[in-house]
Amino acid sequence: MSEQQSWHGTTILSVRKGNEVVVAGDGQVSLGPTVIKGNARKVRRIGQKGEIMVGFAGATADAFTLLERLEAKLDRHPGQTMRACVELAKDWRTDRYLRKLEAMMAVADKDVSLVLTGQGDVLEPEDGIIAIGSGGNYALSAARALIDMDMSAEEIARKAMAIAGEICVYTNGNVLLEKIEIEDAK
């Protein structure tokens, strides 16, 4: 092969509605046209009590490097998810080593949902829906269409991920979902 094959895959979706916030991710990892793994775990809980959910898209080693860095920032700023994410984004943007990492992260806790990018962005969606990865736009569109329906955040995420899996060849139906129940929903 004259061209190096690239890794594809990942749809990460976060939905915040009512008294729930969820982060869901599919399990497919592909190398070129070949499915390498169908049950990858791309959604994790971090924080001292597992109170923060993180989904990642991009190169696996890069994503784990960023996940470790975010955990270190949270150790320095416990209970301050936004601040820890901003501090990570600053490092990601300015550190010569981190700048080369190719990954994105969706981060959510009971108070905030954020997207972190390698360009130094820390973005909070206005509608409470985040989607990243190869099937992200499909999942985002589906979730936005479903958000006003009489469905929970979990139900919306599962349906939107199923739709993304039907459209995106790099997304499968093996969905891992983490959920936080919010006590005093707005």
Side-chain angles (χ1 to χ4, degrees):
M1 290 177 45
S2 60
E3 289 184 36
Q4 184 175 350
Q5 288 186 333
S6 61
W7 292 93
H8 287 284
T10 304
T11 299
I12 301 295
L13 175 67
S14 178
V15 178
R16 181 178 293 274
K17 182 178 180 184
N19 67 341
E20 291 180 343
V21 59
V22 299
V23 177
D26 79 304
Q28 184 168 311
V29 177
S30 303
L31 178 59
T34 305
V35 175
I36 301 297
K37 186 172 183 174
N39 63 347
R41 194 168 159 247
K42 304 169 193 172
V43 175
R44 303 225 190 287
R45 283 187 175 261
I46 62 172
Q48 294 173 346
K49 298 176 184 171
E51 70 277 13
I52 300 165
M53 302 173 294
V54 178
F56 47 85
T60 305
D62 294 354
F64 279 112
T65 297
L66 293 168
L67 189 63
E68 289 171 3
R69 297 283 181 121
L70 179 57
E71 288 178 310
K73 297 294 182 188
L74 287 164
D75 286 344
R76 274 192 227 127
H77 309 289
Q80 300 179 60
T81 303
M82 173 72 84
R83 181 169 182 190
C85 288
V86 168
E87 293 298 321
L88 174 61
K90 285 181 195 177
D91 289 354
W92 196 352
R93 179 78 175 140
T94 59
D95 183 276
R96 180 169 285 190
Y97 168 73
L98 292 179
R99 243 190 335 239
K100 296 179 185 194
L101 299 182
E102 296 180 13
M104 291 180 73
M105 297 175 72
V107 179
D109 68 8
K110 66 181 181 60
D111 299 314
V112 67
S113 299
L114 303 165
V115 174
L116 282 72
T117 73
Q119 282 69 49
D121 300 315
V122 179
L123 307 170
E124 183 176 6
E126 58 189 40
D127 59 2
I129 303 170
I130 292 172
I132 59 174
S134 57
N137 286 337
Y138 306 118
L140 177 65
S141 297
R144 284 186 176 165
L146 296 169
I147 198 73
D148 291 329
M149 304 296 288
D150 186 23
M151 299 170 74
S152 68
E154 180 176 352
E155 292 168 327
I156 291 168
R158 289 193 184 281
K159 181 66 175 170
M161 290 295 290
I163 291 168
E166 292 172 2
I167 299 169
C168 179
V169 297
Y170 298 114
T171 301
N172 71 11
N174 188 3
V175 174
L176 174 68
L177 183 137
E178 293 285 348
K179 175 171 64 172
I180 294 175
E181 298 280 341
I182 303 168
E183 291 178 20
D184 297 313
K186 298 172 187 167

